[in-house]
Amino acid sequence: MADRRYFGTDGIRGRANTHPMTAEVALRVGLAAGKLFMSADDRRHLVVIGKDTRLSGYTIEPALVAGFASVGMDVLTFGPLPTPGVAMMTRSMRADLGVMISASHNSFTDNGIKLFGPDGYKLSDEIELKIEAMMDEGLGEGLAAPDRLGRVKRIDDAQARYVEIAKHAFPKGLSLKGLRIAIDCANGAGYRVAPTTLYELGAEVFPIGVEPNGMNINLDCGSTHPAALSEAVKKYRADIGIALDGDADRLIICDETGQVVDGDQIMALIARDWSRQGLLTGGGVVATVMSNLGLERAMLAEGLTLERTKVGDRYVMERMREGGFNLGGEQSGHIILHDHATTGDGLMAALQVLAVMVDSGRKMSELARQFDTLPQLLENVRYTAGKPLEDATVKAAIADGEAALNGAGRVLVRPSGTEKLIRVMAEGDDEALVRRVVSDIAAAVKAAG
């Protein structure tokens, strides 16, 4: 990844109005991606663009539109729409390319650009590198003739279309009637579609985080700040709480007591339900290296596998497609339901959990603990120079930690993809031992960095 100048692990991301998150870079993305996805056949080419509620979206979107239209691509803009909604619309509207303007769970001071191919999946590393190479070409190259410029139009029914698609993911014959649901939309992309979907399926809905002002996205709300949802659940005496992040591609859940349920427990709940119904494909679930060992043991106890990938929902999706899995995700709440979506979808995942609640007649607190979580500790260690993970003492500390856990746990040490950080994680049955292992490895990294 070292040779990448713009794209990171999930599109282009950075501080708003600062390189690379400037209008000029967005213009270059539009020009380059537009040229790359304009096929040779003589027809109108189409790109669809959605965004979340960040103030900086007003600078990024027009620049992208100008780039795409300049090379002859027609553009449809959706306004605020969840990331999975943009992926779906790319495919259902037969677009050549889809774009989401969002920095997900980050604060409003950041923004990002994610690209989807005509199949609705995130672009591969190879295609992103091709776009990067073209972005640094002259701005005046390869522009369309005056009569071949793209046309631009705002589509007002994209949210309604997404609501209908989401409702179809809820099992026929079931209803949310009688359920009190608190939902925190993080003042983000799902602030209209998520409460509407739940209401139309019959629930009594208590929404918070639905008053975006351009600067309050993810601010003390949403899936990264579950305290707000926990309070709402208690205040409204809700049966369940659902919190989305800024672009609504992930969620966390609170039970009726306000206790938080993470992505690992949600995956286990859906996997068991789908397996019981004969709906689970691939023989198991795909998760990342960060998922708790308890999830792995729970899946093995069901006769299912847990396959692990690098951190990032894109890598989870790639493995799911290769192995024919229809369920995967991350501990952070990215849950991918491949029967319904091509990327993580917080609302769709919530609907699967609600379906289990309705079908079983059980409270969320009874369903929340699918397995006992093993003690897991993560420490981020900053370094200034060099490559600490190549240091002999660090390697020795990691080997010692693995030996100490002796098969009853695991050690994971990895560099951050965005900053000078080494993430040191260990988990196991013995909490004191886990703490000692993390402490010893972290100390070695500090000494080396």
Side-chain angles (χ1 to χ4, degrees):
M1 294 286 184
D3 54 344
R4 287 171 164 254
R5 292 183 305 284
Y6 300 106
F7 286 91
T9 51
D10 195 14
I12 301 172
R13 194 177 290 189
R15 189 172 173 81
N17 230 21
T18 306
H19 186 85
M21 222 52 250
T22 61
E24 186 206 337
V25 171
L27 174 67
R28 290 181 180 277
V29 171
L31 290 166
K35 287 177 206 168
L36 190 62
F37 280 82
M38 292 270 287
S39 57
D41 54 340
D42 188 24
R43 63 174 174 86
R44 302 300 301 182
H45 290 80
L46 176 66
V47 57
V48 297
I49 303 178
K51 61 179 180 178
D52 62 23
T53 55
R54 287 161 216 271
L55 185 61
S56 56
Y58 289 112
T59 63
I60 302 299
E61 185 183 62
L64 282 165
V65 168
F68 286 120
S70 295
V71 296
M73 266 195 145
D74 290 340
V75 186
L76 297 179
T77 62
F78 296 144
L81 190 69
T83 291
V86 174
M88 284 170 198
M89 295 302 160
T90 305
R91 193 156 66 170
S92 74
M93 300 182 87
R94 294 179 63 191
D96 298 282
L97 193 63
V99 186
M100 179 65 183
I101 304 165
S102 174
S104 194
H105 57 280
N106 292 22
S107 82
F108 88 98
T109 55
D110 290 349
N111 215 334
I113 298 171
K114 300 182 195 182
L115 301 175
F116 296 94
D119 55 4
Y121 293 98
K122 290 179 182 175
L123 299 184
S124 67
D125 291 338
E126 293 74 35
I127 293 175
E128 285 182 350
L129 286 169
K130 277 184 189 172
I131 291 170
E132 279 205 351
M134 294 169 75
M135 280 170 67
D136 289 334
E137 291 173 2
L139 290 174
E141 293 174 24
L143 301 183
D147 63 336
R148 302 295 293 172
L149 288 169
R151 297 176 186 276
V152 183
K153 197 163 115 185
R154 170 73 181 254
I155 295 291
D156 292 320
D157 74 340
Q159 293 185 341
R161 289 175 70 152
Y162 175 71
V163 167
E164 287 305 313
I165 293 169
K167 280 160 62 180
H168 278 296
F170 191 70
K172 287 177 179 55
L174 295 184
S175 165
L176 298 181
K177 200 166 174 16
L179 274 187
R180 295 167 66 88
I181 302 175
I183 181 153
D184 180 350
C185 298
N187 292 311
Y191 81 101
R192 282 192 186 141
V193 294
T196 301
T197 302
L198 297 172
Y199 173 79
E200 291 186 4
L201 286 168
E204 192 176 351
V205 185
F206 301 91
I208 62 170
V210 288
E211 296 175 350
N213 63 13
M215 294 185 281
N216 61 359
I217 188 170
N218 300 312
L219 181 62
D220 299 327
C221 61
S223 63
T224 46
H225 298 90
L229 177 66
S230 190
E231 278 177 36
V233 165
K234 293 169 193 166
K235 178 181 174 183
Y236 297 115
R237 302 186 319 281
D239 298 302
I240 186 173
I242 299 158
L244 307 175
D245 68 339
D247 67 335
D249 69 347
R250 72 183 193 181
L251 86 160
I252 61 109
I253 278 172
C254 281
D255 68 19
E256 75 279 3
T257 70
Q259 285 292 109
V260 173
V261 185
D262 71 10
D264 282 347
Q265 298 285 357
I266 294 167
M267 275 190 282
L269 175 63
I270 298 171
R272 283 194 164 122
D273 183 62
W274 282 10
S275 178
R276 180 180 58 79
Q277 296 184 64
L279 300 175
L280 192 70
T281 63
V285 178
V286 181
T288 74
V289 290
M290 294 305 292
S291 276
N292 196 276
L293 193 55
L295 173 62
E296 191 171 323
R297 290 177 179 176
M299 292 298 94
L300 288 171
E302 297 283 328
L304 302 171
T305 59
L306 182 79
E307 297 212 9
R308 294 182 184 269
T309 71
K310 286 192 294 186
V311 172
D313 62 322
R314 183 169 63 161
Y315 301 112
V316 173
M317 184 75 254
E318 281 174 8
R319 181 67 198 112
M320 287 172 69
R321 291 176 80 185
E322 285 167 10
F325 296 89
N326 62 349
L327 177 62
E330 298 188 280
Q331 190 181 57
S332 60
H334 277 121
I335 310 290
I336 304 173
L337 311 166
H338 199 202
D339 294 345
H340 305 292
T342 54
T343 187
D345 192 319
L347 178 58
M348 294 265 196
L351 291 175
Q352 300 308 312
V353 174
L354 289 165
V356 179
M357 270 184 81
V358 172
D359 197 34
S360 67
R362 295 168 72 190
K363 291 180 177 179
M364 190 61 223
S365 57
E366 296 169 28
L367 298 169
R369 192 160 195 147
Q370 291 289 311
F371 61 87
D372 290 331
T373 304
L374 265 68
Q376 187 182 74
L377 190 64
L378 173 69
E379 187 172 335
N380 293 322
V381 185
R382 290 208 169 269
Y383 65 96
T384 49
K387 294 184 176 176
L389 294 187
E390 293 179 12
D391 186 272
T393 55
V394 173
K395 286 179 177 177
I398 294 170
D400 289 347
E402 287 171 338
L405 288 169
N406 191 28
R410 61 191 186 102
V411 174
L412 176 68
V413 183
R414 65 187 183 91
S416 162
T418 52
E419 38 190 339
K420 283 192 177 296
L421 277 182
I422 301 294
R423 303 193 194 282
V424 180
M425 191 272 279
E427 62 181 345
D429 297 300
D430 182 339
E431 189 168 358
L433 177 59
V434 166
R435 286 185 184 283
R436 198 185 83 219
V437 167
V438 169
S439 173
D440 289 353
I441 297 171
V445 172
K446 281 173 194 161

